[in-house]
Amino acid sequence: MAHVKPYSLFTDFDINLFKAGKHYRLYEKFGSHITTIDGIDGVYFAVWAPSAKQVSVVGDFNFWTEGEHLLNVRWDSSGIWEGFIPLIGKGNIYKYKIESNNDGIKTEKADPYARRYEHPPKTASIVWDDTYKWKDSKWMKKRKVYNAIDAPYSVYEVHLGSWKKQIEENRFLSYYELANDLVNYVKDMNFTHVELMPIMEHPYDPSWGYQITGYFAPTSRFGYPEEFKYLVDKLHQNDIGIILDWVPSHFPEDAHGLGFFDGSHLYEHPDRKKGYHQDWKSLIFNYERNEVRSFLISNAIFWLEQYHADGLRVDAVASMLFLDYSREDGEWEPNIYGGRENLAVISFLKELNQEVYASFPDVQTIAEESTAFPMVSKPTFVGGLGFGMKWMMGWMHDTLEYFAKDPVYRKYHQNDITFSLAYAFTENFMLPLSHDEVVYGKNSILGRMPGDEWQRFANLRLLYGCMFTHPGTKLLFMGGEFGQYNEWNFQESLDWNLLEFEPHKNIQNYYKELNALYKTTPALYEKGFSNEGFEWISFDDHENCVISYIRKGYNTTDDVVVVCNLTPTIRENYRIGVPIKGKLKEIFNSDSKTFGGSGVSNKKQITIKKTPWNGKTFSAEITLAPLAIIVFQFKP
């Protein structure tokens, strides 16, 4: 190592916080940091490897020679190794060569805190810093409004590698190209947010990004870190929020990754019953270890602070919460109280959300959680996990199952489409039609719809209409907005050529208009997480397969009436009860000819009469279009 005075980024306070699991900015200390010491330019390295006997930095600057540049272990039993290498800098490639105290085992590891990695399949870390100058101050100042739980929240879920490809060269679009193509498309389609499937560096394309090795680096597949910042910046400049998929649940066993890092089970739990995920053939973080908790919470904060993310969608929360998740008897052990809950995970998630919201009160954390675990999206001070929202998996399963049925049988299954309202306000729910629903033989959303082509597209319009008028925020996976026929294939671009055909162009236009209706109709979002924002008119007209309800905002003059005709039969003079007198004006109809519908509508304003119906004082007679959702506005 260089003959300069000892140098460290760690203070005693840093070390104490790290050991206690309370240091939430570890990326400022660990990893490789370009610096100047005694007038000499170079790079300071720091890595956590408490079971190491010796740690070398090997790289393109020393012919990958072990022992050429040794790090020094700190005296304070923190297990941190650090040192300064002169005359290297940005762009140098490196790994840590670690000799363990455990039988002299040697590992060669990428830097867990590296800001950039080589393009897969190469696996080394790259010394990096960027001086990107953000231009999104306007968004950052006002995003509290856009990200609030009483704001419209329509999310477009995207896998960057397969959203669109450069056809002539058969390659990914770069972050720069996406900053033009994707941003313009999302803005034109009236989405409020984009959610990216994991952008962090990962070695294996078929993992879709969910098997991460580089937690602090955007993948090099699409460009440099500052180019990803440019993409985020462009989204913000166009008033579009960005949510990042974040994976604290598991990580792969790849030799250069976090597993068996220093010859010991450093990041993963040493007990395979808690430390190995059988379904995904991956390792599970040791949430009982303070330093690991600090690593993970620091990583969440990193993406919010350094990359201006507006939210984190936390993957596979159910797999984290339960010790018996996807395990048979004998493959798990109960907690100290005899239960199946992972108590360390519960405390970790609470701590995570407390720190995120304390530092960034204008973002959202969203849990992908599929069980009935209570109070996932309730504040920690009342005993909840502290997430901002939770995916409503029950709604998704029931709705897709219902719409797959031929309309002639739907009257026997009306409960499937109405049951979600029995628990809709127990959490702050997001309604997801995600990538998981269009893979592995499940068919595309359009492919699930019954009937001839006209009916399939009418059903799809009706399904999306039900989603947008149901309480909760919305998420749709890419391709669903224009009726992708095929299942999603991560290796290929979406089938954009389908937009040459009128039915697909119509459904795309329909989704665009649904987003616009949602954003401009306060009753559809202001009380989306409160039972005050929803009132049934009728949920039990099984024979006609019709449901009707009122959505309410802060201002009663904004209330709207929603009626869904779930069969292809046109129903004239259909009576619905309403609570006030005046008139009803049709403001949205999925059967409009502009969407590819048949054009059946209520052209004139409908007079509300003092005829009690559906338990209401007043009522009105309307015309129901086939397989359609109609939205009415009250007119005094």
mmCIF file of all heavy atoms in Angstrom, residues 391-421:
data_model
loop_
_atom_site.group_PDB
_atom_site.id
_atom_site.type_symbol
_atom_site.label_atom_id
_atom_site.label_comp_id
_atom_site.label_asym_id
_atom_site.label_seq_id
_atom_site.Cartn_x
_atom_site.Cartn_y
_atom_site.Cartn_z
ATOM 1 N N TRP A 391 -49.894 -4.183 -2.246
ATOM 2 C CA TRP A 391 -50.550 -4.764 -3.419
ATOM 3 C C TRP A 391 -51.789 -5.565 -2.995
ATOM 4 O O TRP A 391 -51.734 -6.347 -2.036
ATOM 5 C CB TRP A 391 -49.591 -5.675 -4.174
ATOM 6 C CG TRP A 391 -48.697 -4.944 -5.137
ATOM 7 C CD1 TRP A 391 -48.394 -3.614 -5.118
ATOM 8 C CD2 TRP A 391 -48.000 -5.507 -6.254
ATOM 9 N NE1 TRP A 391 -47.545 -3.310 -6.158
ATOM 10 C CE2 TRP A 391 -47.286 -4.453 -6.867
ATOM 11 C CE3 TRP A 391 -47.898 -6.788 -6.780
ATOM 12 C CZ2 TRP A 391 -46.483 -4.648 -8.001
ATOM 13 C CZ3 TRP A 391 -47.106 -6.985 -7.906
ATOM 14 C CH2 TRP A 391 -46.405 -5.922 -8.507
ATOM 15 N N MET A 392 -52.885 -5.385 -3.735
ATOM 16 C CA MET A 392 -54.150 -6.066 -3.433
ATOM 17 C C MET A 392 -54.251 -7.334 -4.289
ATOM 18 O O MET A 392 -54.944 -7.381 -5.307
ATOM 19 C CB MET A 392 -55.336 -5.140 -3.699
ATOM 20 C CG MET A 392 -56.624 -5.607 -3.053
ATOM 21 S SD MET A 392 -57.962 -4.401 -3.317
ATOM 22 C CE MET A 392 -59.174 -4.977 -2.124
ATOM 23 N N MET A 393 -53.553 -8.378 -3.843
ATOM 24 C CA MET A 393 -53.466 -9.598 -4.640
ATOM 25 C C MET A 393 -54.799 -10.327 -4.723
ATOM 26 O O MET A 393 -55.106 -10.962 -5.733
ATOM 27 C CB MET A 393 -52.403 -10.535 -4.045
ATOM 28 C CG MET A 393 -51.061 -9.865 -3.801
ATOM 29 S SD MET A 393 -50.267 -9.300 -5.313
ATOM 30 C CE MET A 393 -49.330 -10.744 -5.750
ATOM 31 N N GLY A 394 -55.611 -10.228 -3.668
ATOM 32 C CA GLY A 394 -56.916 -10.891 -3.684
ATOM 33 C C GLY A 394 -57.811 -10.320 -4.772
ATOM 34 O O GLY A 394 -58.468 -11.061 -5.515
ATOM 35 N N TRP A 395 -57.829 -8.985 -4.895
ATOM 36 C CA TRP A 395 -58.602 -8.351 -5.975
ATOM 37 C C TRP A 395 -58.132 -8.847 -7.330
ATOM 38 O O TRP A 395 -58.933 -9.169 -8.207
ATOM 39 C CB TRP A 395 -58.456 -6.829 -5.905
ATOM 40 C CG TRP A 395 -58.982 -6.156 -7.139
ATOM 41 C CD1 TRP A 395 -60.271 -5.758 -7.372
ATOM 42 C CD2 TRP A 395 -58.260 -5.841 -8.334
ATOM 43 N NE1 TRP A 395 -60.384 -5.224 -8.634
ATOM 44 C CE2 TRP A 395 -59.166 -5.260 -9.246
ATOM 45 C CE3 TRP A 395 -56.920 -6.014 -8.726
ATOM 46 C CZ2 TRP A 395 -58.775 -4.834 -10.519
ATOM 47 C CZ3 TRP A 395 -56.535 -5.589 -9.996
ATOM 48 C CH2 TRP A 395 -57.453 -5.006 -10.873
ATOM 49 N N MET A 396 -56.826 -8.909 -7.514
ATOM 50 C CA MET A 396 -56.262 -9.306 -8.802
ATOM 51 C C MET A 396 -56.680 -10.733 -9.165
ATOM 52 O O MET A 396 -57.169 -10.988 -10.276
ATOM 53 C CB MET A 396 -54.734 -9.178 -8.752
ATOM 54 C CG MET A 396 -54.019 -9.593 -10.023
ATOM 55 S SD MET A 396 -53.611 -11.365 -10.039
ATOM 56 C CE MET A 396 -52.496 -11.455 -8.640
ATOM 57 N N HIS A 397 -56.521 -11.666 -8.236
ATOM 58 C CA HIS A 397 -56.877 -13.065 -8.512
ATOM 59 C C HIS A 397 -58.368 -13.206 -8.811
ATOM 60 O O HIS A 397 -58.764 -13.842 -9.791
ATOM 61 C CB HIS A 397 -56.500 -13.962 -7.324
ATOM 62 C CG HIS A 397 -55.032 -14.222 -7.216
ATOM 63 N ND1 HIS A 397 -54.322 -14.895 -8.184
ATOM 64 C CD2 HIS A 397 -54.128 -13.914 -6.248
ATOM 65 C CE1 HIS A 397 -53.056 -14.979 -7.834
ATOM 66 N NE2 HIS A 397 -52.909 -14.393 -6.654
ATOM 67 N N ASP A 398 -59.219 -12.627 -7.962
ATOM 68 C CA ASP A 398 -60.666 -12.756 -8.125
ATOM 69 C C ASP A 398 -61.135 -12.118 -9.433
ATOM 70 O O ASP A 398 -61.984 -12.671 -10.144
ATOM 71 C CB ASP A 398 -61.394 -12.087 -6.945
ATOM 72 C CG ASP A 398 -61.242 -12.869 -5.652
ATOM 73 O OD1 ASP A 398 -60.757 -14.016 -5.705
ATOM 74 O OD2 ASP A 398 -61.594 -12.320 -4.595
ATOM 75 N N THR A 399 -60.599 -10.952 -9.751
ATOM 76 C CA THR A 399 -61.044 -10.226 -10.949
ATOM 77 C C THR A 399 -60.651 -10.967 -12.220
ATOM 78 O O THR A 399 -61.470 -11.129 -13.143
ATOM 79 C CB THR A 399 -60.467 -8.800 -10.951
ATOM 80 O OG1 THR A 399 -60.937 -8.110 -9.783
ATOM 81 C CG2 THR A 399 -60.887 -8.040 -12.192
ATOM 82 N N LEU A 400 -59.417 -11.423 -12.287
ATOM 83 C CA LEU A 400 -58.974 -12.144 -13.491
ATOM 84 C C LEU A 400 -59.737 -13.456 -13.652
ATOM 85 O O LEU A 400 -60.086 -13.853 -14.769
ATOM 86 C CB LEU A 400 -57.470 -12.397 -13.435
ATOM 87 C CG LEU A 400 -56.575 -11.161 -13.599
ATOM 88 C CD1 LEU A 400 -55.109 -11.543 -13.477
ATOM 89 C CD2 LEU A 400 -56.830 -10.482 -14.936
ATOM 90 N N GLU A 401 -60.014 -14.115 -12.529
ATOM 91 C CA GLU A 401 -60.771 -15.367 -12.591
ATOM 92 C C GLU A 401 -62.206 -15.109 -13.065
ATOM 93 O O GLU A 401 -62.757 -15.858 -13.877
ATOM 94 C CB GLU A 401 -60.777 -16.024 -11.203
ATOM 95 C CG GLU A 401 -61.176 -17.472 -11.225
ATOM 96 C CD GLU A 401 -60.919 -18.170 -9.886
ATOM 97 O OE1 GLU A 401 -59.767 -18.166 -9.425
ATOM 98 O OE2 GLU A 401 -61.885 -18.692 -9.303
ATOM 99 N N TYR A 402 -62.789 -14.038 -12.575
ATOM 100 C CA TYR A 402 -64.165 -13.704 -12.960
ATOM 101 C C TYR A 402 -64.242 -13.380 -14.452
ATOM 102 O O TYR A 402 -65.108 -13.880 -15.168
ATOM 103 C CB TYR A 402 -64.663 -12.521 -12.135
ATOM 104 C CG TYR A 402 -66.064 -12.079 -12.503
ATOM 105 C CD1 TYR A 402 -67.173 -12.670 -11.914
ATOM 106 C CD2 TYR A 402 -66.271 -11.083 -13.449
ATOM 107 C CE1 TYR A 402 -68.469 -12.276 -12.258
ATOM 108 C CE2 TYR A 402 -67.555 -10.680 -13.800
ATOM 109 C CZ TYR A 402 -68.648 -11.281 -13.202
ATOM 110 O OH TYR A 402 -69.917 -10.899 -13.552
ATOM 111 N N PHE A 403 -63.337 -12.522 -14.919
ATOM 112 C CA PHE A 403 -63.421 -12.091 -16.313
ATOM 113 C C PHE A 403 -63.069 -13.195 -17.300
ATOM 114 O O PHE A 403 -63.410 -13.097 -18.486
ATOM 115 C CB PHE A 403 -62.548 -10.853 -16.544
ATOM 116 C CG PHE A 403 -63.266 -9.577 -16.268
ATOM 117 C CD1 PHE A 403 -63.191 -8.968 -15.022
ATOM 118 C CD2 PHE A 403 -64.053 -8.978 -17.236
ATOM 119 C CE1 PHE A 403 -63.876 -7.794 -14.761
ATOM 120 C CE2 PHE A 403 -64.745 -7.808 -16.989
ATOM 121 C CZ PHE A 403 -64.662 -7.213 -15.740
ATOM 122 N N ALA A 404 -62.410 -14.235 -16.851
ATOM 123 C CA ALA A 404 -62.101 -15.362 -17.734
ATOM 124 C C ALA A 404 -63.344 -16.213 -18.008
ATOM 125 O O ALA A 404 -63.355 -17.017 -18.950
ATOM 126 C CB ALA A 404 -61.004 -16.224 -17.120
ATOM 127 N N LYS A 405 -64.384 -16.035 -17.206
ATOM 128 C CA LYS A 405 -65.605 -16.835 -17.364
ATOM 129 C C LYS A 405 -66.480 -16.281 -18.489
ATOM 130 O O LYS A 405 -66.585 -15.067 -18.663
ATOM 131 C CB LYS A 405 -66.405 -16.844 -16.054
ATOM 132 C CG LYS A 405 -65.736 -17.629 -14.929
ATOM 133 C CD LYS A 405 -66.576 -17.598 -13.675
ATOM 134 C CE LYS A 405 -66.054 -18.584 -12.641
ATOM 135 N NZ LYS A 405 -64.716 -18.247 -12.162
ATOM 136 N N ASP A 406 -67.112 -17.182 -19.212
ATOM 137 C CA ASP A 406 -68.091 -16.773 -20.218
ATOM 138 C C ASP A 406 -69.211 -16.008 -19.503
ATOM 139 O O ASP A 406 -69.673 -16.424 -18.442
ATOM 140 C CB ASP A 406 -68.652 -18.008 -20.925
ATOM 141 C CG ASP A 406 -69.522 -17.644 -22.116
ATOM 142 O OD1 ASP A 406 -70.570 -16.991 -21.911
ATOM 143 O OD2 ASP A 406 -69.160 -18.015 -23.239
ATOM 144 N N PRO A 407 -69.649 -14.879 -20.064
ATOM 145 C CA PRO A 407 -70.692 -14.069 -19.402
ATOM 146 C C PRO A 407 -71.948 -14.849 -19.037
ATOM 147 O O PRO A 407 -72.639 -14.471 -18.078
ATOM 148 C CB PRO A 407 -70.996 -12.985 -20.435
ATOM 149 C CG PRO A 407 -69.717 -12.816 -21.179
ATOM 150 C CD PRO A 407 -69.112 -14.191 -21.255
ATOM 151 N N VAL A 408 -72.239 -15.939 -19.745
ATOM 152 C CA VAL A 408 -73.454 -16.696 -19.448
ATOM 153 C C VAL A 408 -73.381 -17.323 -18.056
ATOM 154 O O VAL A 408 -74.410 -17.610 -17.429
ATOM 155 C CB VAL A 408 -73.706 -17.771 -20.540
ATOM 156 C CG1 VAL A 408 -72.726 -18.926 -20.408
ATOM 157 C CG2 VAL A 408 -75.151 -18.273 -20.493
ATOM 158 N N TYR A 409 -72.167 -17.522 -17.539
ATOM 159 C CA TYR A 409 -72.008 -18.146 -16.214
ATOM 160 C C TYR A 409 -71.731 -17.133 -15.103
ATOM 161 O O TYR A 409 -71.644 -17.511 -13.930
ATOM 162 C CB TYR A 409 -70.857 -19.154 -16.248
ATOM 163 C CG TYR A 409 -71.046 -20.254 -17.265
ATOM 164 C CD1 TYR A 409 -70.172 -20.377 -18.347
ATOM 165 C CD2 TYR A 409 -72.096 -21.172 -17.157
ATOM 166 C CE1 TYR A 409 -70.335 -21.375 -19.296
ATOM 167 C CE2 TYR A 409 -72.271 -22.172 -18.106
ATOM 168 C CZ TYR A 409 -71.394 -22.272 -19.171
ATOM 169 O OH TYR A 409 -71.560 -23.253 -20.111
ATOM 170 N N ARG A 410 -71.586 -15.882 -15.455
ATOM 171 C CA ARG A 410 -71.120 -14.906 -14.460
ATOM 172 C C ARG A 410 -72.120 -14.656 -13.336
ATOM 173 O O ARG A 410 -71.728 -14.296 -12.230
ATOM 174 C CB ARG A 410 -70.756 -13.584 -15.160
ATOM 175 C CG ARG A 410 -69.455 -13.682 -15.934
ATOM 176 C CD ARG A 410 -69.080 -12.396 -16.634
ATOM 177 N NE ARG A 410 -67.809 -12.562 -17.343
ATOM 178 C CZ ARG A 410 -67.312 -11.685 -18.208
ATOM 179 N NH1 ARG A 410 -67.982 -10.562 -18.470
ATOM 180 N NH2 ARG A 410 -66.153 -11.909 -18.803
ATOM 181 N N LYS A 411 -73.412 -14.868 -13.623
ATOM 182 C CA LYS A 411 -74.401 -14.605 -12.573
ATOM 183 C C LYS A 411 -74.222 -15.524 -11.365
ATOM 184 O O LYS A 411 -74.687 -15.217 -10.270
ATOM 185 C CB LYS A 411 -75.816 -14.730 -13.130
ATOM 186 C CG LYS A 411 -76.208 -16.111 -13.623
ATOM 187 C CD LYS A 411 -77.628 -16.060 -14.197
ATOM 188 C CE LYS A 411 -78.080 -17.414 -14.735
ATOM 189 N NZ LYS A 411 -79.446 -17.340 -15.306
ATOM 190 N N TYR A 412 -73.524 -16.653 -11.575
ATOM 191 C CA TYR A 412 -73.283 -17.581 -10.458
ATOM 192 C C TYR A 412 -72.004 -17.215 -9.683
ATOM 193 O O TYR A 412 -71.685 -17.873 -8.696
ATOM 194 C CB TYR A 412 -73.154 -19.014 -10.993
ATOM 195 C CG TYR A 412 -74.333 -19.453 -11.830
ATOM 196 C CD1 TYR A 412 -74.198 -19.676 -13.200
ATOM 197 C CD2 TYR A 412 -75.594 -19.637 -11.257
ATOM 198 C CE1 TYR A 412 -75.280 -20.075 -13.974
ATOM 199 C CE2 TYR A 412 -76.677 -20.024 -12.023
ATOM 200 C CZ TYR A 412 -76.518 -20.244 -13.381
ATOM 201 O OH TYR A 412 -77.597 -20.622 -14.144
ATOM 202 N N HIS A 413 -71.306 -16.217 -10.162
ATOM 203 C CA HIS A 413 -70.008 -15.886 -9.555
ATOM 204 C C HIS A 413 -69.868 -14.395 -9.238
ATOM 205 O O HIS A 413 -68.762 -13.885 -9.167
ATOM 206 C CB HIS A 413 -68.877 -16.311 -10.504
ATOM 207 C CG HIS A 413 -68.875 -17.765 -10.837
ATOM 208 N ND1 HIS A 413 -68.318 -18.720 -10.008
ATOM 209 C CD2 HIS A 413 -69.400 -18.442 -11.898
ATOM 210 C CE1 HIS A 413 -68.477 -19.920 -10.553
ATOM 211 N NE2 HIS A 413 -69.130 -19.784 -11.692
ATOM 212 N N GLN A 414 -70.994 -13.727 -9.041
ATOM 213 C CA GLN A 414 -70.952 -12.281 -8.814
ATOM 214 C C GLN A 414 -70.120 -11.915 -7.585
ATOM 215 O O GLN A 414 -69.477 -10.863 -7.545
ATOM 216 C CB GLN A 414 -72.380 -11.727 -8.660
ATOM 217 C CG GLN A 414 -72.427 -10.214 -8.584
ATOM 218 C CD GLN A 414 -73.331 -9.609 -9.642
ATOM 219 O OE1 GLN A 414 -73.486 -10.171 -10.722
ATOM 220 N NE2 GLN A 414 -73.924 -8.488 -9.340
ATOM 221 N N ASN A 415 -70.089 -12.807 -6.624
ATOM 222 C CA ASN A 415 -69.318 -12.542 -5.404
ATOM 223 C C ASN A 415 -67.834 -12.341 -5.706
ATOM 224 O O ASN A 415 -67.133 -11.614 -4.995
ATOM 225 C CB ASN A 415 -69.504 -13.686 -4.402
ATOM 226 C CG ASN A 415 -68.911 -13.357 -3.051
ATOM 227 O OD1 ASN A 415 -69.228 -12.332 -2.457
ATOM 228 N ND2 ASN A 415 -68.020 -14.216 -2.563
ATOM 229 N N ASP A 416 -67.337 -12.978 -6.784
ATOM 230 C CA ASP A 416 -65.922 -12.837 -7.135
ATOM 231 C C ASP A 416 -65.561 -11.398 -7.467
ATOM 232 O O ASP A 416 -64.448 -10.943 -7.196
ATOM 233 C CB ASP A 416 -65.570 -13.720 -8.345
ATOM 234 C CG ASP A 416 -65.553 -15.201 -8.002
ATOM 235 O OD1 ASP A 416 -65.669 -15.521 -6.805
ATOM 236 O OD2 ASP A 416 -65.431 -16.028 -8.929
ATOM 237 N N ILE A 417 -66.505 -10.687 -8.068
ATOM 238 C CA ILE A 417 -66.211 -9.328 -8.526
ATOM 239 C C ILE A 417 -66.554 -8.283 -7.460
ATOM 240 O O ILE A 417 -66.144 -7.124 -7.551
ATOM 241 C CB ILE A 417 -66.957 -9.036 -9.855
ATOM 242 C CG1 ILE A 417 -66.295 -7.880 -10.616
ATOM 243 C CG2 ILE A 417 -68.429 -8.750 -9.635
ATOM 244 C CD1 ILE A 417 -64.982 -8.237 -11.230
ATOM 245 N N THR A 418 -67.297 -8.684 -6.423
ATOM 246 C CA THR A 418 -67.695 -7.720 -5.392
ATOM 247 C C THR A 418 -67.008 -7.953 -4.044
ATOM 248 O O THR A 418 -66.984 -7.054 -3.204
ATOM 249 C CB THR A 418 -69.218 -7.789 -5.156
ATOM 250 O OG1 THR A 418 -69.571 -9.117 -4.719
ATOM 251 C CG2 THR A 418 -69.987 -7.454 -6.434
ATOM 252 N N PHE A 419 -66.445 -9.146 -3.832
ATOM 253 C CA PHE A 419 -65.921 -9.511 -2.506
ATOM 254 C C PHE A 419 -64.796 -8.595 -2.040
ATOM 255 O O PHE A 419 -64.648 -8.333 -0.842
ATOM 256 C CB PHE A 419 -65.432 -10.965 -2.517
ATOM 257 C CG PHE A 419 -64.846 -11.399 -1.198
ATOM 258 C CD1 PHE A 419 -65.644 -11.519 -0.075
ATOM 259 C CD2 PHE A 419 -63.487 -11.657 -1.077
ATOM 260 C CE1 PHE A 419 -65.109 -11.903 1.147
ATOM 261 C CE2 PHE A 419 -62.933 -12.042 0.137
ATOM 262 C CZ PHE A 419 -63.747 -12.164 1.250
ATOM 263 N N SER A 420 -63.993 -8.082 -2.975
ATOM 264 C CA SER A 420 -62.843 -7.250 -2.585
ATOM 265 C C SER A 420 -63.272 -6.035 -1.768
ATOM 266 O O SER A 420 -62.501 -5.527 -0.951
ATOM 267 C CB SER A 420 -62.062 -6.800 -3.821
ATOM 268 O OG SER A 420 -62.910 -6.081 -4.693
ATOM 269 N N LEU A 421 -64.518 -5.577 -1.963
ATOM 270 C CA LEU A 421 -64.970 -4.397 -1.212
ATOM 271 C C LEU A 421 -65.220 -4.708 0.259
ATOM 272 O O LEU A 421 -65.360 -3.789 1.081
ATOM 273 C CB LEU A 421 -66.227 -3.813 -1.857
ATOM 274 C CG LEU A 421 -65.997 -2.755 -2.960
ATOM 275 C CD1 LEU A 421 -65.176 -1.588 -2.421
ATOM 276 C CD2 LEU A 421 -65.333 -3.330 -4.191
#
